[in-house]
Amino acid sequence: MSAEQGSSKVLIKAVPAVLDHVAKPAIVSTPEVIDTRTLSRSLFLRLAALDKDSPEHTYVRDTLIELNLPLVRYASARFRSRNEPMEDIVQVGTIGLIKAIDRFDCERGVEFPTFAMPTVVGEIKRFFRDTSWSVRVPRRLQELRLALTRASDELAQKLDRSPTVPELAVVLGVSEEDVVDGLAVGNAYTASSLDTPSIEEDGGEGSLADRLGYEDRALEGVEYRESLKPLLAKLQPRERQIIMLRFFANMTQSQIGEEVGISQMHVSRLLTRTLAQLREGLIAD
């Protein structure tokens, strides 16, 4: 006898007492001749006839959950290779089982295990999707990324090339901005450690943290430039023009003399005097 059959036998012996408390069904005769599916069908018929707020409804519903737990364990076994503890996977699958029980309609002629298995497996898969992302991503974007992956594969086969963003947007019925967001979400699925070794351009090895920042040698000049602005504003217009032509236009003293209309020697004397004045202003500040 399998573990599932043994568990069902134990549960079946307790079920008649539950049903007696609600209403004695004609289908129950001896516990030994009733299998799990037949008993579940009987319990679902009882459940549909009860008020949802009644203690009897809760009792029968809990019995259905316990009776069908082997289905959850069977579905959870498919994910045994994952790093999550099996107890956590079973708990998540049980949530899917409860959702399936609450939505199941025994009048549709579908066996409950057939109806419940996709819900249980889907709940477990959503659990792994939520816990496997390195960065917390909203469920809507996670599901959009999965839809984009499927649509991209299908379009690539039809078009014999990679689909464009507008083509994906048309197929999925979303905006192009949503497609771009869904594609970018893939970057949040995995993350690299800052200590991960990498090959540097010069052939040496270093970590990712070594490449995240660098020393900006121009940063030191920012303070000097900000301090010079009010000093330059105080200069005479011709002196300020000479400074601008020399250090911003990279003109020689002779070229500056021709531009301003003075001799190269006069430009040299003005530059020397102006630079000394600016230097004194910086030191004073």
Side-chain angles (χ1 to χ4, degrees):
M1 181 175 62
S2 66
E4 180 177 349
Q5 291 173 335
S7 175
S8 300
K9 290 283 188 181
V10 173
L11 289 169
I12 290 170
K13 292 180 180 179
V15 169
V18 177
L19 295 179
D20 284 341
H21 181 66
V22 179
K24 190 179 290 297
I27 194 172
V28 176
S29 54
T30 58
E32 290 77 8
V33 300
I34 306 175
D35 61 13
T36 303
R37 294 192 179 189
T38 303
L39 183 56
S40 293
R41 191 179 304 112
S42 176
L43 288 171
F44 274 116
L45 290 173
R46 290 289 108 200
L47 194 68
L50 294 171
D51 184 359
K52 290 185 178 182
D53 296 328
S54 65
E56 293 84 359
H57 184 280
T58 302
Y59 204 22
V60 174
R61 180 173 177 266
D62 291 344
T63 304
L64 276 168
I65 295 171
E66 190 173 354
L67 184 65
N68 288 278
L69 280 178
L71 181 68
V72 176
R73 288 191 287 270
Y74 175 79
S76 301
R78 298 171 50 182
F79 303 89
R80 190 179 301 276
S81 60
R82 303 295 184 96
N83 293 328
E84 296 293 332
M86 182 55 61
E87 292 181 1
D88 293 348
I89 300 176
V90 171
Q91 288 181 5
V92 174
T94 303
I95 295 175
L97 174 65
I98 295 172
K99 292 180 179 179
I101 289 175
D102 291 339
R103 295 200 302 259
F104 182 66
D105 184 0
C106 55
E107 300 296 333
R108 293 184 178 180
V110 179
E111 293 289 346
F112 177 70
T114 304
F115 173 83
M117 182 61 75
T119 305
V120 174
V121 174
E123 193 69 26
I124 296 174
K125 287 183 176 180
R126 279 191 291 271
F127 165 73
F128 281 111
R129 285 203 299 267
D130 289 344
T131 57
S132 298
W133 293 75
S134 298
V135 179
R136 183 70 182 91
V137 175
R139 173 71 62 81
R140 180 185 68 85
L141 290 179
Q142 294 182 26
E143 295 177 350
L144 176 59
R145 176 181 175 272
L146 294 175
L148 281 170
T149 301
R150 291 191 295 267
S152 181
D153 292 341
E154 294 175 359
L155 282 177
Q157 293 180 357
K158 293 180 180 178
L159 304 174
D160 198 22
R161 60 173 174 81
S162 297
T164 63
V165 170
E167 290 170 343
L168 289 171
V170 171
V171 170
L172 295 178
V174 298
S175 66
E176 295 183 12
E177 290 77 8
D178 288 340
V179 172
V180 173
D181 290 342
L183 294 174
V185 158
N187 297 328
Y189 194 76
T190 58
S192 299
S193 171
L194 293 178
D195 297 327
T196 302
S198 60
I199 305 300
E200 301 290 343
E201 293 181 359
D202 57 4
E205 291 187 0
S207 65
L208 180 60
D210 297 333
R211 297 183 287 125
L212 287 179
Y214 64 91
E215 183 180 356
D216 188 354
R217 301 190 182 279
L219 189 60
E220 296 179 356
V222 173
E223 183 178 356
Y224 292 120
R225 287 195 296 272
E226 292 300 316
S227 299
L228 276 172
K229 285 181 179 180
L231 298 177
L232 289 171
K234 294 178 182 180
L235 294 176
Q236 295 297 323
R238 187 174 67 173
E239 295 173 348
R240 186 164 55 249
Q241 182 184 11
I242 291 174
I243 291 293
M244 298 296 292
L245 293 174
R246 178 69 184 90
F247 295 100
F248 291 89
N250 294 322
M251 295 176 64
T252 64
Q253 293 182 4
S254 300
Q255 291 171 334
I256 294 173
E258 294 176 1
E259 180 73 20
V260 179
I262 58 177
S263 65
Q264 180 268 331
M265 185 64 66
H266 195 184
V267 171
S268 178
R269 287 196 297 267
L270 289 174
L271 275 174
T272 302
R273 186 181 66 187
T274 305
L275 291 176
Q277 180 181 344
L278 293 174
R279 189 178 299 109
E280 290 177 0
L282 286 176
I283 294 173
D285 291 340

